[in-house]
């Protein structure tokens, strides 16, 4: 929906921890590249709880229902405070509830390899040089995260259960997007599952095999998740587009993010069937570094670039942000997570200053 002035309008949900810090930098960049885009802030997570005693209040639901897209920061508190009312179930009640509210079934996480950062990647040089970008398509609304959960006692023993469920429609939705993306890139799609053990994975594989008939230009291969974890480290250049279930995607995308250098560089986008998008860093609220001006703003800035490209059709502005970030890296600026030593690093705000200067 557009505002009365017909400007594109985005909902800004900065959240907790480093969320507000990196979001503030993203808004500086937005104002530079697309000053006509309007935005409104809403509360989510622990920040919302402090005001409404709810992690995902109605005021925020109304805000996002009026927006053309959502730019999200991150939610959650320190692990040691996880049982306090403000932080208990914060992630489940906010970001998982938000994904459910918007019916965001597909999550895309690009892990891009920057040549300027080859020296901080854990990969050997020849492996790093062969990599460009890996795109991970993660299903977001099914699997063990949304199935029935219970903890109970049987004969004096505590038992906990989490149920993993998938419908073929849920799998078709992500398969369709992953095949379409692969067809427009290298034509290579790796579907990752655990079909040697899990029924949900057997159904997953069956749906992908059936859909492959509609995409003859795509070479589909299947890989078990344990092997994929090893292959990502041994030979990441073999992958272009990976599609996988919710739990496997959560873990594999964090692993993939470490290969280019840091979780703080990895953006993500989530879409529903109607193409509505929510954009957020792949990492969490990083309470260990919050408030110190040392968080890497790249994941938030690149999430903004994805929003401009996919939800607002602003391709030149998106590319400008991506290229400006690459130039800043090429000129040697590093935040602490990707720097060699603490005395030689650039803070969150100063790194963004450099990006803005390049724009
Ligand atoms: P995390 O992703 O917040 O942090 C993991 C590590 O990566 C930390 O060392 C952190 O300092 C570092 N890191 C993350 N983003 C960074 C950045 N931009 N720049 C530099 N370093 C960065 O994961 P965690 O520590 O397991 O969880 C912390 C909180 O975040 C928890 O409350 C958790 O529930 C929440 N969480 C939220 C989301 C979300 O909002 N979507 C996702 C994951 C975790």
């Amino acid at each position: 929906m557009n505002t009365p002035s017909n400007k594109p309008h985005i909902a800004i949900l900065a959240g907790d921890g480093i969320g507000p810090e990196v979001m503030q930098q993203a808004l500086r960049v937005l104002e530079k590249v697309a000053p006509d885009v309007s935005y409104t802030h809403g509360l989510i997570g622990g920040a919302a709880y402090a005001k409404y005693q709810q992690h995902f209040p109605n005021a925020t639901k109304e805000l996002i229902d009026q927006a053309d897209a959502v730019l999200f920061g991150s939610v959650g508190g320190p692990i040691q405070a996880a049982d306090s009312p403000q932080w208990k179930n914060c992630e489940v009640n906010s970001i998982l509830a938000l994904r459910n509210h918007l019916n965001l079934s597909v999550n895309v996480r690009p892990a891009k390899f920057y040549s300027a950062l080859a020296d901080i990647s854990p990969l050997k040089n020849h492996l790093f040089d062969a990599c460009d970008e890996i795109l991970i398509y993660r299903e977001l609304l099914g699997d063990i995260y949304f199935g029935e959960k219970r903890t109970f006692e049987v004969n004096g023993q505590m038992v906990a259960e989490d149920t993993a469920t998938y419908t073929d429609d849920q799998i078709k939705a992500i398969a369709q997007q992953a095949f379409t993306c692969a067809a427009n890139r290298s034509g290579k799609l790796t579907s990752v599952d655990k079909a040697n053990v899990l029924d949900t994975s057997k159904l997953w594989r069956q749906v992908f095999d059936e859909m492959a008939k509609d995409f003859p230009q795509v070479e589909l291969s299947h890989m078990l998740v344990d092997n994929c974890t090893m292959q990502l480290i041994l030979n990441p250049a073999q992958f272009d587009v990976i599609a996988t279930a919710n739990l496997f995607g959560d873990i594999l995308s964090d692993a993939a993010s470490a290969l280019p250098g840091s979780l703080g560089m990895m953006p993500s986008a989530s879409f529903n069937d109607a193409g509505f998008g929510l954009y957020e860093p792949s990492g969490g609220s990083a309470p260990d570094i919050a408030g110190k001006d040392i968080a890497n703003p790249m994941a938030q800035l690149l999430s903004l670039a994805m929003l401009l490209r996919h939800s607002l059709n602003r391709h030149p502005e998106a590319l400008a942000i991506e290229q400006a970030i690459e130039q800043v890296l090429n000129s040697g600026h590093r935040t602490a997570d990707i720097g060699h030593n603490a005395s030689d690093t650039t803070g969150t705000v100063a790194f963004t200053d450099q990006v803005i200067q390049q724009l």
Side-chain angles (χ1 to χ4, degrees):
M1 200 214 82
N2 285 350
T3 54
S5 59
N6 214 29
K7 285 180 176 176
H9 188 73
I10 59 180
I12 301 293
L13 308 181
D16 307 312
I18 60 167
E21 292 173 52
V22 287
M23 186 64 84
Q24 204 181 348
Q25 303 315 311
L27 293 176
R28 291 176 64 209
V29 169
L30 176 67
E31 282 161 17
K32 175 82 180 174
V33 294
D36 62 308
V37 175
S38 66
Y39 58 84
T40 309
H41 287 274
L43 291 172
I44 189 105
Y49 194 91
K51 180 166 179 188
Y52 296 103
Q53 285 74 58
Q54 283 176 1
H55 291 115
F56 183 24
N58 283 336
T60 302
K61 285 185 189 134
E62 283 163 22
L63 171 69
I64 59 176
D65 290 342
Q66 302 291 314
D68 293 305
V70 178
L71 188 63
F72 188 90
S74 47
V75 290
I79 303 297
Q80 59 275 21
D83 283 332
S84 70
Q86 183 177 17
W87 301 118
K88 192 168 182 180
N89 294 326
C90 175
E91 212 179 325
V92 174
N93 294 341
S94 44
I95 184 64
L96 264 64
L98 178 54
R99 287 171 186 162
N100 228 354
H101 176 74
L102 290 170
N103 204 23
L104 302 172
S105 59
V106 174
N107 182 235
V108 189
R109 297 185 168 192
K112 182 170 167 51
F113 295 78
Y114 295 92
S115 55
L117 297 181
D119 56 335
I120 61 144
S121 169
L123 294 174
K124 290 180 184 140
N125 282 354
H126 71 280
L127 291 175
F128 188 93
D129 289 345
C131 290
D132 178 23
E133 184 185 63
I134 301 172
L135 271 188
I136 299 186
Y137 274 73
R138 169 188 170 198
E139 198 288 329
L140 263 197
L141 290 181
D143 209 353
I144 203 158
Y145 291 171
F146 287 96
E148 198 182 318
K149 304 172 190 309
R150 58 190 189 125
T151 304
F152 51 99
E153 200 182 319
V154 179
N155 301 332
Q157 278 244 310
M158 292 307 293
V159 183
E161 272 181 8
D162 297 285
T163 313
T165 312
Y166 265 120
T167 66
D168 58 353
D169 276 354
Q170 281 175 317
I171 303 169
K172 276 179 200 157
I174 178 143
Q176 179 75 40
Q177 296 215 28
F179 271 104
T180 306
C181 172
N184 290 321
R185 285 167 60 101
S186 66
K188 263 179 70 179
L189 173 62
T190 311
S191 168
V192 176
D193 61 37
K194 188 71 183 168
N196 54 341
V197 179
L198 302 177
D199 270 31
T200 43
S201 285
K202 287 175 187 149
L203 181 61
W204 180 278
R205 203 174 267 219
Q206 193 184 319
V207 170
F208 269 74
D209 280 338
E210 273 162 25
M211 194 162 289
K213 295 173 194 152
D214 299 335
F215 290 88
Q217 70 277 46
V218 174
E219 184 197 328
L220 170 70
S221 59
H222 297 285
M223 195 177 275
L224 296 176
V225 64
D226 34 359
N227 184 26
C228 181
T229 315
M230 181 173 73
Q231 294 298 332
L232 262 180
I233 294 161
L234 287 180
N235 181 17
Q238 70 185 284
F239 298 109
D240 184 38
V241 182
I242 292 176
T244 192
N246 204 346
L247 175 63
F248 301 153
D250 195 0
I251 298 165
L252 287 178
S253 60
D254 267 29
S257 77
L259 301 178
S262 163
L263 187 55
M265 305 190 317
M266 201 176 188
S268 81
S270 305
F271 301 104
N272 65 18
D273 289 351
F276 185 88
L278 176 145
Y279 303 83
E280 57 173 327
S282 293
S285 58
D288 53 332
I289 57 166
K292 298 180 180 165
D293 188 40
I294 57 173
N296 190 335
M298 278 177 61
Q300 192 75 65
L301 303 188
L302 292 167
S303 299
L304 170 65
M306 290 182 90
L307 182 154
L308 288 166
R309 179 176 289 119
H310 297 293
S311 285
L312 303 188
N313 221 9
R314 300 284 184 94
H315 296 263
E317 291 90 336
L319 192 62
I321 295 173
E322 291 159 355
Q323 288 177 340
I325 287 174
E326 191 147 12
Q327 279 158 4
V328 171
L329 293 176
N330 289 344
S331 61
H333 295 281
R334 304 278 184 271
T335 45
D337 55 321
I338 52 175
H340 282 300
N341 53 61
S343 61
D344 195 19
T345 56
T346 308
T348 312
V349 177
F351 188 92
T352 313
D353 289 344
Q354 294 296 326
V355 174
I356 291 172
Q357 224 174 67
Q358 292 291 339
L359 280 166

